[in-house]
Amino acid sequence: MTKQYFLLSCFIFISIVVCAQSPDGGGHYESDRGECISERQRIENERVLEANRAFLLANGLLKHPKKTRNLSLGWPLQQAAGFDYCSYYGISNFVDHNAAYPNQVLDYDCGSRTYDLASGYNHGGVDIFLWPFDWNMVNDQQVEVIAAAPGVIVGKFDGNTDMNCDFSNPNWNAIYVEHADGSVAWYGHMKNGSLTNKTVGASVVMGEKLGLVASSGSSTGPHLHFELHDLGGNVIDPFAGACNVGGANQWANPKPYFDPTINVALTHSDPPVLNPCPNLHNTNKKDTFLAAEDIYFAGYFHDQLINSSATYTVKRPDNSVYATWTHVPPVYYAASYWYWKYTLPANPMYGNWNFSISMNGQTCNHPFVLKNPAATLLAENEQNAALFTITPNPANDFVRISAASEWVVVYDIQGKLLGTYHQQNRLDIRSLESGLYIVKSGTQFQKLLVKH
Ligand SMILES: [Zn+2]
């Protein structure tokens, strides 16, 4: 993405001028499409499930299903405790309702957000991928697979590799739950060893943790393949739409076909770097900054449409607006991110700042801190002997600084940045008034007393 600095349009909003501002960078995520489950594995899974069902029915662990379809599905994913992204996923594929193939696809809304293959495979589920920083989320165990409806476990496959990036691995980790109406939910591509300890035949309640998202089986990245079958083993699409002929909505809280959502607002030291599967991404997340440092404000979205204008606002600790701008994406992306580079003021208001993004009535906040190095250092009673040295100290004309890093930064006692100096030169302090100053080298701080 090329750097662009031009203003597209402005409008006045409660006496603050808000302008559209082109990002300094960004990108989008597009999943590769292939069989989520191979035909061979599908047949094998169905054989095992049938055998399990027969055993469970014979032993009273599974009831003969009611014929009426009466599902009320919850969302099959949730964020683990301690994580606070506003959203953590996007949708890449729905069920393909056109039995013809290849390249003859029809999702429930008569769109083409699905796929088929020349082999005759029509995608049979909904693919929900993690966004942003998918492999970091897998590594952090940020996203849990949970039961969309209560039922009985009728199948479990575990022990397969879960960092796959292509369609060559046929074996996934998956769990299968049969509901009271005889429908069965398939939860595929899960993390090796993450599946619930409950065995086949055990009951699960709605929302119960079944395991973690990863990329086991035929998969190009971390996602959940959620597939529903009716009593007869036919694929059911839980989304209601004109091209889901005869199908009804099965969700307790149905989502719109396009669901423009802010996933998270973040601050960074440098632009985020998305690495190829299955590597962790360099998030370059940073939440504590010093005066005059560069800061990247980034927004991450799923389903952001070209008319989904997002307003970005940065507020100082006293709630006054430091910067605000708007942005719309150039085209629709299933998942996108945009970032803007700013240089924080040399003499800022220190404390708790806030970066927020608002879109379609949703607001996502991301607090960050501008730390006053003077206040931090003065709060400490003694200086650390391991710190770099300033000689002489106190001083009245020149000082020499022995520091590991090449450059040193000098602040006054209010935390105002006075300048950046090459540490090999003698620092001329004759223009500084008598008093206490703060010198920073790398991540360390030292006091300097100037006495004229
Ligand atoms: Zn899938």
Side-chain angles (χ1 to χ4, degrees):
M1 190 125 194
T2 52
K3 270 198 170 191
Q4 293 172 313
Y5 296 96
F6 59 87
L7 301 178
L8 295 172
S9 63
C10 299
F11 61 93
I12 294 172
F13 179 71
I14 320 175
S15 81
I16 296 162
V17 180
V18 182
C19 297
Q21 191 173 316
S22 294
D24 293 313
H28 63 103
Y29 168 86
E30 229 164 342
S31 67
D32 295 321
R33 287 168 165 179
E35 294 175 316
C36 274
I37 176 167
S38 70
E39 198 52 30
R40 186 180 69 72
Q41 194 191 17
R42 181 176 291 277
I43 291 165
E44 170 65 11
N45 282 3
E46 283 172 353
R47 193 187 61 75
V48 172
L49 293 182
E50 254 336 285
N52 287 349
R53 286 192 77 249
F55 176 83
L56 295 174
L57 284 166
N59 289 278
L61 291 166
L62 195 63
K63 291 195 180 82
H64 282 284
K66 298 178 192 115
K67 291 284 189 293
T68 51
R69 192 188 294 173
N70 186 24
L71 284 172
S72 179
L73 299 172
W75 197 240
L77 296 174
Q78 72 179 10
Q79 215 164 183
F83 294 94
D84 61 356
Y85 282 9
C86 290
S87 181
Y88 49 86
Y89 69 86
I91 292 177
S92 50
N93 299 299
F94 293 107
V95 173
D96 180 12
H97 288 274
N98 186 340
Y101 57 88
N103 302 318
Q104 299 185 69
V105 297
L106 209 55
D107 64 33
Y108 73 93
D109 198 51
C110 309
S112 58
R113 297 173 70 189
T114 181
Y115 69 95
D116 59 15
L117 296 172
S119 63
Y121 175 79
N122 293 296
H123 191 244
V126 54
D127 286 338
I128 311 168
F129 61 90
L130 305 190
W131 176 255
F133 309 125
D134 51 4
W135 284 106
N136 304 58
M137 287 167 123
V138 171
N139 203 41
D140 296 343
Q141 307 196 354
Q142 185 169 348
V143 182
E144 299 173 345
V145 179
I146 56 174
V152 173
I153 298 172
V154 292
K156 267 175 88 175
F157 296 90
D158 202 355
N160 298 303
T161 57
D162 60 16
M163 293 177 73
N164 300 332
C165 301
D166 57 41
F167 305 113
S168 61
N169 191 324
N171 299 312
W172 69 5
N173 304 316
I175 195 157
Y176 303 75
V177 176
E178 180 163 326
H179 312 128
D181 67 352
S183 63
V184 179
W186 297 28
Y187 304 84
H189 304 304
M190 289 165 73
K191 187 175 172 65
N192 187 10
S194 77
L195 273 62
T196 172
N197 288 330
K198 287 189 174 177
T199 55
V200 169
S203 294
V204 293
V205 298
M206 186 172 172
E208 180 169 334
K209 184 181 171 184
L210 300 178
L212 295 164
V213 176
S215 187
S216 60
S218 193
S219 172
T220 56
H223 75 287
L224 173 71
H225 173 99
F226 178 73
E227 182 167 327
L228 267 182
H229 287 213
D230 69 11
L231 184 55
N234 309 300
V235 169
I236 320 167
D237 187 342
F239 293 88
C243 287
N244 182 9
V245 180
N249 170 61
Q250 308 289 344
W251 298 106
N253 295 299
K255 295 180 189 299
Y257 181 63
F258 285 110
D259 189 20
T261 301
I262 308 160
N263 279 33
V264 64
L266 292 173
T267 49
H268 304 267
S269 61
D270 292 283
V273 181
L274 301 187
N275 292 314
C277 178
N279 296 293
L280 294 178
H281 306 287
N282 302 106
T283 67
N284 292 321
K285 289 185 203 174
K286 184 176 173 179
D287 296 331
T288 301
F289 294 84
L290 299 170
E293 277 193 322
D294 288 341
I295 183 169
Y296 289 80
F297 297 107
Y300 299 81
F301 302 85
H302 72 258
D303 271 2
Q304 195 188 15
L305 298 168
I306 55 167
N307 60 2
S308 317
S309 177
T311 301
Y312 300 73
T313 307
V314 182
K315 287 187 174 176
R316 301 181 188 92
D318 68 353
N319 225 25
S320 63
V321 174
Y322 168 69
T324 185
W325 66 96
T326 62
H327 176 248
V328 291
V331 292
Y332 162 78
Y333 294 120
S336 55
Y337 70 104
W338 311 102
Y339 61 79
W340 288 261
K341 181 187 179 183
Y342 277 75
T343 301
L344 291 165
N347 187 19
M349 191 182 293
Y350 286 106
N352 298 316
W353 289 52
N354 190 61
F355 169 46
S356 69
I357 307 175
S358 297
M359 183 178 78
N360 295 349
Q362 181 200 4
T363 297
C364 260
N365 287 296
H366 179 78
F368 64 99
V369 175
L370 244 90
K371 193 173 91 172
N372 182 342
T376 307
L377 192 61
L378 290 172
E380 296 167 7
N381 291 325
E382 286 183 46
Q383 285 177 263
N384 184 337
L387 295 176
F388 59 91
T389 56
I390 302 172
T391 39
N393 191 4
N396 63 12
D397 49 5
F398 294 94
V399 292
R400 197 169 282 283
I401 296 166
S402 74
S405 89
E406 200 180 344
W407 296 91
V408 294
V409 184
V410 179
Y411 303 87
D412 73 10
I413 207 63
Q414 277 76 43
K416 180 182 176 183
L417 183 131
L418 299 177
T420 300
Y421 306 94
H422 200 270
Q423 64 101 344
Q424 284 174 348
N425 300 330
R426 285 198 308 161
L427 199 60
D428 185 349
I429 57 164
R430 287 174 299 182
S431 64
L432 296 181
E433 287 177 23
S434 293
L436 194 57
Y437 294 83
I438 306 299
V439 179
K440 173 176 169 279
S441 167
T443 57
Q444 297 188 321
F445 298 94
Q446 277 271 44
K447 293 176 202 168
L448 164 65
L449 187 59
V450 175
K451 265 188 180 172
H452 294 300

